[in-house]
Amino acid sequence: MKITASAPGKLMLFGEHAVVHQHPCLVTAVDLRIQVTVEKIDAPMIFIETPLLSPKEQSFSLPLNELFNDKLLHPHTKFIVASIRKVFSRYNIHQGLKIQSSGPINSFGLGSSSAVTVATIFALITLFDIAIKKQQIFDLAYSAVMEVQTVGSGFDVASSTFGGTLFYLPTQKIETLNVDHLPLVIAYSGEKVSTTNLVQEVEQLRSQFPEILDLVFKAIGKITSSARIAMLQNNWKTAGNLANINQGLLESLGVSTPTLNKPITAARLSGSFGAKLSGAGGGDCMFAIVDEQTRSRVEAAIESSGAQVLHLKTNTEGVRLEPELA
Amino acid sequence: MKITASAPGKLMLFGEHAVVHQHPCLVTAVDLRIQVTVEKIDAPMIFIETPLLSPKEQSFSLPLNELFNDKLLHPHTKFIVASIRKVFSRYNIHQGLKIQSSGPINSFGLGSSSAVTVATIFALITLFDIAIKKQQIFDLAYSAVMEVQTVGSGFDVASSTFGGTLFYLPTQKIETLNVDHLPLVIAYSGEKVSTTNLVQEVEQLRSQFPEILDLVFKAIGKITSSARIAMLQNNWKTAGNLANINQGLLESLGVSTPTLNKPITAARLSGSFGAKLSGAGGGDCMFAIVDEQTRSRVEAAIESSGAQVLHLKTNTEGVRLEPELA
C-alpha cells in the first residue's frame, strides 16, 4: 500500500526576523505543494527518491539499523530521514520503507523543508494507522526540523501543517485567521538566498547593537499584531501601510536589496496599498497588497521593474492525503 | 555704525523626526552662512532688504509702532521681524533700523530660518552693546522661531548659534562634540521639500499607529546615542552601520524617496561605511560616511546616481561677527 500526503509552501506576510526573537508573525500557505509517497518494503532498508537528487546520485539509501546514526548532512534527504526517526522512535516502529518526494522544480524560496517534513510525517502516521491531531503532527515535524537545523521558530512548520493564514506566536499560540481571500500580488526578485546566512547576519548586527535591534523587533511585533486586526477586518489599506512600515524596519536590519527594492518601489508608485519583501530577505520574493482595480497596473509595474509575478493561490489547505496517482 | 553677524547652515546627522518627540539628535554646522547687517536709522521705521525679495517687492518696510502688530506672514522677512521683537521687548529698545541679509542663493535645504534668526539677534545685541552669552542668544532665537512657526525642536537654532557638531537633547542638553573632522560625502538629491509637511505626515502616521511609531522613535534615539559615542571615538565604521539602520527607520516613517535612495544605495555599493538621508526627508540632502581611501569612488558613484556632491565644510563655527565689508 502506498500513501501520499502533500503539504503547502508558505509566504511570510509580516514579522520575519522578529519571530526568531519570540515576536509573532503572520504567514499564509501557498499552493506550491510537496508530495511525499511512502510504502512499506520487506528489505530492512530506507530508500528515498527525490527529483532533487541528480541522476548520478540515483536514489539515497540507508540500512534500517543505521537510521539513527545518519549525520543528517545530505541536503535533499535529511528532513525525510529526520521525520522517519521521529515517527519511528515515538511509536516504536522498525520497518523498511520506500519514500518518494516530488514538487515544483522552482519554489522561489516559498517551498520549504518544512513542507517535506510535514508531508512525510503525515504520510507515515497514515501508513502505520496512527490517529493523531494536527497539533501533534506539528510537534513531531517541528522536532524533526529542529534536529536538522537546530534553530527555527516553527512558523513554516505550522503553515505546512495547518495551512490557511496563521498568526503564529512562537511556543504560545497558533491562530488560524478567518479570512477569505488575500488581495496580494506576489513576485520573485530573481535572487536566490540562504535564509540561515541572513538570520546569522541579523544576529551579528544584534550582538553589536542589542538595544536598538530589540526595539526594532518589538516594533515589528506590534506591526504584526496590528496587521492581524486589519486583515480580520478586511482593511487592506491599513495592512498596506503596515507592510510599508515593516519593510522600512527590514531595511534597518540590512536584509533588503536593490533587486527587492525595485519591485517594491514599483508597486508603491503604481497604486498598491503597500509592499514589502517576504521571508528572510536578501532576495527571493516580495508582495504588494492591492485592490482589484489596481491589480493589473501593479502587476505590470512589478514586471517592468524586472521581477517575475507569480500567480499563486494563498490561504490554501494544510497537509492532506492525496489520492493514489499511479 | 553697521554691524554684521553671520550664522552657519546645518546638516542633520542622526535623529531627525525622533527629535520632535524628545529624543536626541546629532547635527553639524556647515559653511553655508547667512549674513545679517543691522544699522540704526533716524526714521521710526524698520527697513529690511534680503536677496530673496523679488525686484518688484523692493524692500520690506514697517513703521516702528507697527512692529508688534505684524502678522509674521511674509516668508522672507518674518524671522527677522520676530527677532527684532524679541530683542526690543527683552531689552526695552525702541529704535528705527535698516537690516540687510544675504547668503547663498541655493542652500540645498541646509540653510535655515534659524541661521537668519540667530544672526539677526547677535547683530542686534552687538549694535545695542548688550553682552550676553551664547546660551541666551539661543534662548532668544528659539523663542523668535517658535513665535513664527509654533513648532520646532530647536536643534537648528542650536547649530546656528553654537556651531560645531552638537548632541542635542530637546530642553535638556546641548553638548558640543569634541571631534576634529567628519569624513562625510554630502550630496543634494535635486528634490525640494517642505519640512513642515513631512513632519505633519509623520504625525499623521503616528496618530494611526502610535505604539509602533513610538518604538521607532525610541530606536532612533538609541541610534543617536550610540552614534555620539562612535563619533567621539572616531569609529566611523560603526557610525556608518548606525547610519544604515537609521535610514531604514526613516524608510519606515515613509520620508525617504526613490530620488534619495539612489545616491544612498550607490554610496553603500561603492564602499562607504554607510549612508542616510539628512533632514526631514522627501528630498534635499543625503550623506555617506567614508574613509579617505574610498572618498573619490563614493563621490563618483553618487554623482553617477544623479545627485550633486556638495563640497561643504562641516563642524564649522557658530554665530560670529563679520568685519564690515562695505
Side-chain angles (χ1 to χ4, degrees):
Chain A
M1 187 180 59
K2 286 184 180 182
I3 298 289
T4 298
S6 75
K10 51 86 187 65
L11 179 78
M12 179 66 101
L13 298 173
F14 290 90
E16 46 271 270
H17 289 289
V19 72
V20 178
H21 298 278
Q22 284 69 58
H23 294 286
C25 72
L26 282 160
V27 59
T28 191
V30 298
D31 62 347
L32 290 164
R33 301 187 77 87
I34 305 273
Q35 285 83 33
V36 175
T37 300
V38 298
E39 63 183 310
K40 297 178 187 174
I41 57 172
D42 292 335
M45 294 289 290
I46 306 287
F47 291 107
I48 301 175
E49 286 172 21
T50 99
L52 297 168
L53 289 169
S54 67
K56 264 195 210 158
E57 295 175 293
Q58 303 286 339
S59 71
F60 175 93
S61 66
L62 189 67
L64 196 51
N65 57 16
E66 286 296 313
L67 176 62
F68 287 86
N69 300 327
D70 186 67
K71 296 279 188 293
L72 300 178
L73 295 175
H74 196 300
H76 303 310
T77 60
K78 59 189 178 185
F79 289 96
I80 293 175
V81 171
S83 300
I84 300 168
R85 294 214 290 225
K86 288 296 165 190
V87 172
F88 279 20
S89 62
R90 172 73 182 76
Y91 298 103
N92 286 313
I93 296 168
H94 189 81
Q95 168 70 51
L97 290 175
K98 183 178 169 194
I99 300 196
Q100 292 164 286
S101 78
S102 63
I105 289 171
N106 190 343
S107 61
F108 311 103
L110 302 177
S112 66
S113 36
S114 302
V116 73
T117 307
V118 169
T120 302
I121 284 176
F122 193 51
L124 286 174
I125 62 148
T126 306
L127 183 71
F128 294 107
D129 236 350
I130 302 158
I132 62 176
K133 291 188 177 160
K134 284 213 164 167
Q135 179 65 45
Q136 292 168 284
I137 296 172
F138 168 80
D139 292 340
L140 277 171
Y142 185 41
S143 68
V145 167
M146 290 302 275
E147 190 173 340
V148 175
Q149 63 191 29
T150 68
V151 290
S153 59
F155 74 89
D156 42 3
V157 179
S159 184
S160 293
T161 306
F162 298 99
T165 300
L166 302 179
F167 179 80
Y168 181 83
L169 185 57
T171 75
Q172 290 183 55
K173 185 175 175 181
I174 303 176
E175 174 194 5
T176 297
L177 257 61
N178 184 14
V179 287
D180 279 341
H181 166 70
L182 308 182
L184 306 180
V185 175
I186 304 165
Y188 180 61
S189 70
E191 277 179 300
K192 281 245 159 261
V193 290
S194 155
T195 298
T196 316
N197 290 354
L198 275 158
V199 169
Q200 282 167 355
E201 279 171 33
V202 172
E203 279 312 292
Q204 204 162 8
L205 197 65
R206 182 170 178 252
S207 69
Q208 201 180 353
F209 307 114
E211 278 187 298
I212 296 165
L213 262 70
D214 284 347
L215 285 166
V216 171
F217 292 141
K218 200 171 170 189
I220 293 175
K222 293 274 179 201
I223 287 168
T224 304
S225 297
S226 300
R228 171 186 166 276
I229 294 168
M231 287 168 63
L232 286 172
Q233 298 171 339
N234 280 305
N235 186 345
W236 298 105
K237 188 169 186 302
T238 294
N241 289 339
L242 290 162
N244 287 341
I245 302 174
N246 197 157
Q247 171 64 18
L249 299 181
L250 290 164
E251 295 257 5
S252 79
L253 299 178
V255 300
S256 200
T257 68
T259 316
L260 277 165
N261 290 345
K262 277 178 201 164
I264 289 169
T265 301
R268 289 179 186 169
L269 295 177
S270 59
S272 73
F273 290 137
K276 65 182 279 293
L277 67 83
S278 169
D284 282 342
C285 286
M286 56 73 66
F287 69 89
I289 301 178
V290 297
D291 60 24
E292 292 315 314
Q293 284 71 51
T294 56
R295 173 180 292 278
S296 59
R297 185 149 44 102
V298 173
E299 286 183 352
I302 288 175
E303 289 273 355
S304 298
S305 79
Q308 176 191 358
V309 171
L310 305 177
H311 296 280
L312 296 173
K313 217 180 139 205
T314 55
N315 201 30
T316 58
E317 201 181 345
V319 67
R320 69 180 180 216
L321 293 179
E322 297 289 344
E324 184 58 50
L325 300 173
Chain B
M1 187 180 59
K2 286 185 179 181
I3 299 290
T4 298
S6 75
K10 52 86 188 63
L11 179 78
M12 179 65 102
L13 298 173
F14 290 90
E16 46 271 270
H17 290 289
V19 72
V20 178
H21 298 278
Q22 284 68 58
H23 295 285
C25 72
L26 282 160
V27 59
T28 191
V30 298
D31 62 347
L32 290 164
R33 301 187 77 87
I34 304 273
Q35 285 83 32
V36 176
T37 301
V38 298
E39 63 182 310
K40 297 179 188 174
I41 57 172
D42 292 334
M45 294 289 290
I46 306 287
F47 291 107
I48 301 176
E49 286 171 22
T50 99
L52 297 168
L53 288 169
S54 67
K56 264 195 211 159
E57 295 175 294
Q58 304 286 340
S59 71
F60 174 93
S61 66
L62 189 67
L64 195 52
N65 57 16
E66 287 296 313
L67 176 62
F68 287 86
N69 300 326
D70 186 67
K71 297 278 188 294
L72 301 178
L73 296 175
H74 196 299
H76 303 309
T77 60
K78 59 189 178 185
F79 289 96
I80 293 175
V81 172
S83 300
I84 301 168
R85 295 215 290 225
K86 288 295 164 191
V87 173
F88 279 20
S89 63
R90 172 74 182 74
Y91 298 103
N92 287 312
I93 296 167
H94 188 81
Q95 169 69 51
L97 290 174
K98 183 179 169 194
I99 300 196
Q100 292 164 287
S101 79
S102 63
I105 290 171
N106 190 343
S107 61
F108 311 103
L110 302 177
S112 67
S113 36
S114 302
V116 74
T117 307
V118 169
T120 302
I121 284 176
F122 193 51
L124 286 174
I125 62 149
T126 307
L127 184 71
F128 294 107
D129 237 351
I130 302 158
I132 61 176
K133 291 187 177 161
K134 284 214 164 166
Q135 179 65 45
Q136 292 167 283
I137 296 172
F138 169 80
D139 292 339
L140 277 171
Y142 185 42
S143 68
V145 167
M146 290 301 275
E147 191 173 339
V148 175
Q149 63 190 29
T150 68
V151 290
S153 59
F155 74 89
D156 42 3
V157 179
S159 184
S160 292
T161 306
F162 298 99
T165 300
L166 302 179
F167 179 80
Y168 181 82
L169 185 57
T171 75
Q172 289 182 55
K173 185 175 175 181
I174 303 175
E175 174 194 6
T176 297
L177 257 61
N178 184 14
V179 287
D180 278 341
H181 166 71
L182 308 182
L184 307 180
V185 175
I186 304 165
Y188 180 61
S189 70
E191 277 179 300
K192 280 246 160 260
V193 291
S194 155
T195 298
T196 315
N197 290 354
L198 275 157
V199 169
Q200 282 167 356
E201 279 171 33
V202 172
E203 279 312 292
Q204 205 162 10
L205 197 65
R206 182 169 178 252
S207 69
Q208 201 180 354
F209 307 113
E211 278 187 298
I212 296 165
L213 262 71
D214 284 347
L215 285 166
V216 171
F217 292 141
K218 200 171 170 187
I220 293 175
K222 293 273 180 203
I223 287 168
T224 304
S225 297
S226 300
R228 170 186 166 276
I229 294 168
M231 287 168 63
L232 286 171
Q233 298 171 339
N234 280 306
N235 186 346
W236 298 106
K237 188 168 186 301
T238 294
N241 289 339
L242 290 163
N244 287 341
I245 301 174
N246 197 158
Q247 171 65 18
L249 299 181
L250 290 164
E251 295 256 6
S252 79
L253 299 178
V255 300
S256 201
T257 68
T259 316
L260 277 165
N261 290 345
K262 276 178 201 164
I264 289 169
T265 302
R268 290 179 185 168
L269 295 177
S270 59
S272 73
F273 290 136
K276 66 182 279 293
L277 68 83
S278 169
D284 281 341
C285 286
M286 55 74 65
F287 68 89
I289 301 177
V290 297
D291 61 23
E292 292 315 313
Q293 284 70 53
T294 56
R295 173 180 291 279
S296 59
R297 186 148 44 100
V298 173
E299 286 183 351
I302 287 174
E303 289 273 356
S304 298
S305 78
Q308 175 191 358
V309 170
L310 305 177
H311 296 280
L312 296 173
K313 217 180 139 204
T314 55
N315 201 30
T316 58
E317 201 180 343
V319 67
R320 69 181 180 216
L321 293 179
E322 297 289 343
E324 184 58 49
L325 300 172

